């Protein structure tokens, strides 16, 4: 157990170092940091002094180690575009993205479970056929089109929800939440649904497949023979046994949700880290790009690590062979 | 029927491999094709959309990129109607600059399909090469390639593509950015999708490597590269075809998403995603057709290719027959 965790931890550190290397290369070699900071009009001697002072003349390996050291202290320099410390920027926008991600993960989990169980228990019914067909269409629909459609129907035509922004926010110390005001709640509904649809279909299909598998097993037949009620069999025996993979996938998908939020945030002008990243890519704001990359990698590695360890704890039969969110 | 054809997807013994393999594959696949009305419809839709895109310069009613043929007065003409100021008739309406939406869609799907197909080809080439190398050699090479694939697979493709795009934008000089944009996009999407191919091919290669025909080839001294290309590659291509088809649909959507976010193709070569981005500005003032028709085309394209991929997967899988 301990050996496994240590090995897994070492792997995670390796992944982070790999990502840090990429982030460092991006940070150091995409464009010239000096020109980006002071512009081309500065005298060459001044540029050289600045280069020396920022340590850009040191050996690459020293610079890389310094980059890692700074990253561990949460320092990624100053945004070229906004002239603010990158970490501050990301932290100020993080609550918006996290609230959106958790709201949509909840929607995906609840509806995915319900629909998955329904389609598994009544595989031949008309409702199941419609749900399965809709899920296929849902996978083929790009997220941004779903967002636009929802805005058009529910914000423009019906006027039920606002079409952009976060509504009113409440300051809770360093966390600005939109979940405590009415306009905040109304604002999060459309983006959360948009973001959740892909995961929802995924969870639904997974639950359905697992349920169908479990329902064919011997112990379900035995439970039937014992005369248990259909309800007890379906929910007490079958569903319970499908939950482990479902929870795993949901956990692993949480990282994707945060990354996919880029698109949703752009469509709904949601002031989160995703839209910050898009603008940074457009204007090549390198420090923000590097920091965002490190941040996302950290989220992914942490989630993978936790899920793997949980897996190990929950089901010792499973031979866990490292790796990430494979299928 | 099923019994005789079952080994079709597997390698068939030497005598006349090619002829028999092809014959069996043909009849089998055609049978399951005829049996599935959804697939027939999907293939008709996909083929007509692809033809429409390829033939756009010859069959499009207007040339949307020739300023001489545009009339600003035609702007915002609704679908199925005559322009209020000219004698142009628009099937799907005209956009803000008086361009025929139907024609821009034809040219737009051309760009979308080109980028999607090239990116998928790139991903397949890269993935299959690395997968073959990893699976055949094993050891350290395998470990390194697969670890990179693992890391990459745990990040969403769109994020990787965005990052590559951002890096390219910083590296390529400003005056070449527009002409290079489409190739940057192809590389970005391709690089974000290769890992699945590598993983699949590696698995299949490891199975094939154990088989006698490979040992035989090795013993008579065939060069490893030749073994990989002539002997192993044909036997691992089946699953690649399936993932490739679904990958094409994904690549088209990815391109549309990137273009919609404003980091894709340059405005001079609008793809379906760019058209949707433009159309979104006018949706809320009532000019719905500028967004609606490109969006429907994109969905039809992605959905039909996806359905074809699904069908191909089932048709090539002997267990499901």
């Amino acid at each position: 157990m301990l050996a496994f965790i240590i090995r897994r931890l070492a792997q995670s550190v390796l992944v982070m170092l790999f990502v840090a290397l990429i982030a460092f290369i991006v940070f150091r070699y995409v464009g010239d940091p000096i020109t980006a900071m002071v512009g081309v009009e500065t005298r060459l001697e001044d540029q050289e002094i600045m280069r020396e002072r920022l340590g850009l003349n040191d050996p690459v390996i020293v610079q890389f180690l310094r980059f890692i050291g700074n990253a561990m202290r949460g320092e990624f320099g100053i945004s070229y575009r906004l002239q603010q410390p990158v970490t501050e920027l990301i932290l100020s926008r993080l609550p918006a993205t996290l609230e959106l991600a958790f709201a949509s993960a909840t929607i995906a989990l609840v509806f995915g479970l319900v629909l998955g169980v329904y389609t598994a228990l009544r595989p031949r019914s008309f409702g199941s056929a419609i749900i399965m067909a809709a899920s296929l269409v849902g996978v083929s629909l790009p997220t941004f089109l779903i967002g636009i459609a929802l805005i058009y129907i529910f914000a423009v035509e019906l006027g039920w929800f606002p079409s952009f922004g976060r509504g009113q926010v409440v300051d809770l110390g360093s966390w600005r939440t939109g979940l405590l005001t009415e306009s905040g709640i109304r604002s999060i509904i459309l983006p959360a649904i948009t973001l959740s649809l892909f995961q929802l279909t995924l969870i639904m299909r997974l639950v359905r497949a697992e349920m169908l598998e479990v329902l064919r097993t011997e112990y379900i037949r035995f439970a039937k023979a014992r005369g248990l009620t259909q309800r007890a069999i379906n929910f007490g025996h079958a569903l319970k046994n499908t939950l482990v993979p479902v929870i795993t996938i949901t956990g692993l998908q949480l990282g994707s949700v945060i990354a996919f939020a880029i698109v949703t945030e752009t469509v709904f002008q949601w002031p989160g880290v995703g839209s910050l990243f898009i603008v940074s890519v457009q204007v090549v704001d390198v420090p923000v790009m590097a920091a965002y990359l490190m941040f996302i990698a950290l989220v992914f590695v942490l989630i993978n690590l936790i899920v793997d360890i949980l897996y190990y704890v929950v089901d010792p039969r499973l031979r866990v062979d490292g790796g990430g969110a494979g299928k | 029927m099923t019994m005789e054809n079952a080994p079709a997807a597997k390698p068939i013994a030497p005598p006349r491999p090619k002829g028999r393999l092809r014959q069996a594959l043909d009849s089998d696949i055609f049978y399951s094709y005829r049996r599935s009305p959804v697939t027939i419809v999907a293939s008709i839709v996909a083929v007509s959309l692809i033809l429409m895109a390829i033939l756009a310069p010859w069959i499009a009613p207007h040339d949307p990129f020739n300023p001489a043929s545009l009339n600003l007065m035609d702007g915002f003409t609704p679908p199925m109607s005559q322009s209020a100021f000219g004698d142009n008739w628009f099937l799907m309406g005209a956009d803000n600059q008086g361009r025929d939406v139907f024609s821009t869609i034809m040219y737009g799907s051309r760009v979308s399909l080109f980028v999607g197909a090239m990116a998928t080809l790139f991903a397949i080439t890269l993935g299959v090469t690395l997968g073959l190398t990893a699976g055949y050699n094993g050891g350290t090479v395998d470990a390194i390639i697969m670890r990179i694939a693992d890391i990459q697979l745990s990040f969403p493709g769109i994020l990787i593509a965005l990052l590559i795009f951002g890096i390219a934008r910083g590296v390529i000089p400003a005056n070449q950015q527009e002409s290079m944009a489409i190739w940057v996009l192809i590389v970005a999407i391709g690089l974000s999708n290769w890992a699945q191919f590598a993983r699949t091919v590696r698995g299949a290669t490891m199975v094939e490597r154990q088989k006698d025909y490979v040992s035989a080839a090795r013993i008579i001294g065939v060069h490893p590269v030749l073994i990989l290309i002539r002997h192993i590659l044909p036997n691992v291509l089946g699953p690649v075809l399936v993932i490739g088809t679904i990958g094409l649909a994904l690549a088209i959507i990815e391109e549309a998403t990137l273009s919609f976010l404003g980091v894709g193709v340059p405005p001079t070569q609008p793809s379906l995603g760019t058209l949707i981005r433009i159309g979104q500005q006018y949706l809320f003032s009532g000019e719905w057709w500028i967004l609606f028709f490109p969006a429907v085309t994109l969905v039809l394209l992605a959905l039909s290719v996806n359905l074809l991929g699904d069908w191909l997967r089932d048709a090539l899988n002997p267990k499901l027959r």
Side-chain angles (χ1 to χ4, degrees):
Chain A
M1 177 73 192
L2 196 66
F4 167 76
I5 292 181
I6 291 174
R7 211 178 59 218
R8 208 55 200 72
L9 262 177
Q11 247 172 32
S12 307
V13 171
L14 217 70
V15 171
M16 279 314 286
L17 279 179
F18 181 71
V19 176
L21 181 65
I22 295 176
F24 168 70
I25 294 173
V26 172
F27 186 73
R28 182 64 187 80
Y29 295 104
V30 173
D32 182 5
I34 296 291
T35 350
M37 265 180 265
V38 296
V40 280
E41 273 90 42
T42 322
R43 285 189 309 153
L44 280 177
E45 301 89 83
D46 288 343
Q47 288 193 17
E48 198 47 46
I49 293 170
M50 203 162 167
R51 210 175 283 277
E52 189 61 47
R53 208 171 51 203
L54 288 172
L56 294 175
N57 289 334
D58 294 343
V60 175
I61 185 78
V62 176
Q63 290 189 40
F64 180 50
L65 289 178
R66 195 184 301 135
F67 177 82
I68 291 180
N70 284 339
M72 291 216 277
R73 274 179 285 126
E75 274 175 37
F76 289 94
I78 291 176
S79 157
Y80 296 164
R81 182 174 65 99
L82 296 166
Q83 303 297 329
Q84 281 178 39
V86 172
T87 320
E88 217 170 86
L89 266 179
I90 289 189
L91 283 182
S92 73
R93 280 166 168 257
L94 198 55
T97 298
L98 287 183
E99 281 175 7
L100 183 60
F102 280 106
S104 76
T106 315
I107 294 176
L109 193 60
V110 171
F111 284 90
L113 267 177
V114 170
L115 294 178
V117 169
Y118 174 79
T119 47
L121 293 182
R122 294 198 171 63
R124 304 257 170 230
S125 79
F126 186 63
S128 298
I130 287 189
I131 293 172
M132 291 308 287
S135 82
L136 192 65
V137 178
V139 172
S140 301
L141 274 178
T143 320
F144 64 95
L145 274 186
I146 297 174
I148 294 175
L150 287 181
I151 291 181
Y152 187 67
I153 298 170
F154 294 103
V156 178
E157 289 296 316
L158 297 173
W160 291 355
F161 305 109
S163 64
F164 68 90
R166 254 186 112 188
Q168 212 140 27
V169 288
V170 178
D171 256 319
L172 300 175
S174 56
W175 188 283
R176 305 178 74 196
T177 179
L179 295 177
L180 291 176
T181 62
E182 197 212 326
S183 74
I185 300 267
R186 276 158 48 106
S187 302
I188 206 172
I189 291 177
L190 288 185
I193 292 177
T194 310
L195 189 53
S196 71
L197 277 186
F198 187 79
Q199 326 290 334
L200 197 159
T201 43
L202 200 77
I203 293 175
M204 185 199 100
R205 282 174 169 258
L206 185 75
V207 170
R208 175 175 175 275
E210 292 280 333
M211 277 288 273
L212 285 177
E213 196 116 305
V214 170
L215 284 175
R216 273 201 292 264
T217 53
E218 292 290 323
Y219 67 85
I220 295 293
R221 192 175 300 170
F222 180 61
K224 275 183 195 152
R226 274 158 66 205
L228 296 183
T229 59
Q230 200 63 40
R231 188 196 201 91
I233 296 172
N234 289 342
F235 295 98
H237 292 74
L239 183 61
K240 226 178 183 176
N241 280 293
T242 64
L243 281 184
V244 175
V246 171
I247 289 169
T248 318
I249 294 288
T250 316
L252 289 178
Q253 287 293 320
L254 199 61
S256 310
V257 171
I258 292 178
F260 266 112
I262 296 174
V263 180
T264 314
E265 284 178 8
T266 311
V267 176
F268 287 92
Q269 298 169 35
W270 189 262
V273 273
S275 47
L276 177 72
F277 179 63
I278 274 289
V279 179
S280 309
V281 168
Q282 278 163 353
V283 302
V284 201
D285 191 346
V286 179
V288 180
M289 279 163 63
Y292 182 79
L293 179 66
M294 293 291 288
F295 161 70
I296 286 284
L298 184 68
V299 170
F300 271 90
V301 165
L302 279 184
I303 290 175
N304 269 312
L305 186 69
I306 295 170
V307 167
D308 267 5
I309 292 176
L310 276 184
Y311 233 65
Y312 200 87
V313 173
V314 171
D315 195 345
R317 285 172 312 171
L318 281 162
R319 212 191 91 252
V320 186
D321 56 356
K327 336 236 127 130
Chain B
M1 182 74 210
T2 43
M3 286 310 285
E4 293 140 35
N5 292 325
K10 290 187 182 147
I12 282 182
R16 278 179 301 146
K18 188 146 191 198
R20 271 188 57 189
L21 189 75
R22 172 147 309 160
Q23 220 177 344
L25 266 179
D26 275 354
S27 62
D28 236 22
I29 287 199
F30 194 67
Y31 176 74
S32 78
Y33 178 75
R34 267 185 327 194
R35 286 277 309 267
S36 158
V38 175
T39 312
I40 297 178
V41 174
S43 65
I44 293 174
V45 171
V47 168
S48 25
L49 283 175
I50 292 172
L51 276 182
M52 190 181 90
I54 294 175
L55 298 177
W58 295 281
I59 59 172
H62 298 256
D63 180 0
F65 304 113
N66 176 7
S69 74
L70 297 181
N71 184 354
L72 270 181
M73 300 300 261
D74 289 344
F76 301 122
T77 309
M80 304 284 285
S81 59
Q82 188 113 22
S83 161
F85 301 97
D87 43 3
N88 286 331
W89 189 83
F90 296 100
L91 176 68
M92 295 181 180
D95 70 2
N96 53 329
Q97 303 176 37
R99 294 187 295 197
D100 175 35
V101 171
F102 184 49
S103 307
T104 52
I105 287 178
M106 291 172 112
Y107 280 91
S109 356
R110 208 174 149 84
V111 177
S112 285
L113 269 170
F114 178 74
V115 173
M118 291 300 281
T120 311
L121 270 183
F122 181 57
I124 289 179
T125 317
L126 188 66
V128 169
T129 313
L130 289 177
L132 282 174
T133 317
Y136 192 75
N137 291 318
T140 324
V141 182
D142 180 37
I144 293 174
I145 294 179
M146 281 306 122
R147 194 60 357 143
I148 296 176
D150 276 347
I151 295 176
Q152 181 157 358
L153 271 178
S154 56
F155 291 91
I158 190 95
L159 185 69
I160 296 166
L162 270 174
L163 197 76
I164 297 170
F165 197 88
I167 296 173
R169 194 170 266 209
V171 173
I172 296 173
N175 55 354
Q176 285 172 25
Q177 253 171 21
E178 192 153 313
S179 53
M180 295 285 286
I182 219 164
W183 296 102
V184 170
L185 197 60
I186 288 170
V187 170
I189 297 175
L191 273 183
S192 68
N193 287 334
W194 66 274
Q196 267 143 323
F197 296 101
R199 207 178 241 195
T200 316
V201 169
R202 173 204 177 237
T205 307
M206 286 171 79
V207 174
E208 294 296 323
R209 192 180 55 169
Q210 313 292 335
K211 293 195 176 156
D212 288 343
Y213 72 94
V214 176
S215 312
R218 205 164 21 206
I219 290 167
I220 59 171
V222 182
H223 194 270
V225 175
L226 213 58
I227 296 183
L228 280 177
I229 295 174
R230 293 272 301 275
H231 300 277
I232 297 185
L233 184 62
N235 289 317
V236 299
L237 272 186
V240 170
L241 198 63
V242 175
I243 315 178
T245 315
I246 296 173
L248 175 63
L250 280 178
I252 291 173
I253 290 186
E254 211 172 312
E255 186 278 324
T257 308
L258 289 174
S259 294
F260 174 77
L261 292 175
V263 292
V265 292
T268 46
Q269 281 171 299
S271 71
L272 290 175
T274 326
L275 295 178
I276 293 170
R277 179 185 170 85
I278 297 171
Q280 196 202 4
Q281 301 162 10
Y282 303 104
L283 179 64
F284 306 125
S285 51
E287 286 90 17
W288 53 272
W289 57 90
I290 307 176
L291 175 119
F292 181 75
F293 293 112
V296 169
T297 314
L298 176 66
V299 171
L300 279 182
L301 193 60
L303 186 62
S304 59
V305 175
N306 238 339
L307 285 171
L308 283 181
D310 268 1
W311 161 75
L312 207 58
R313 181 181 53 204
D314 294 348
L316 289 179
N317 186 352
K319 278 189 207 136
L320 281 181
R321 268 191 228 124

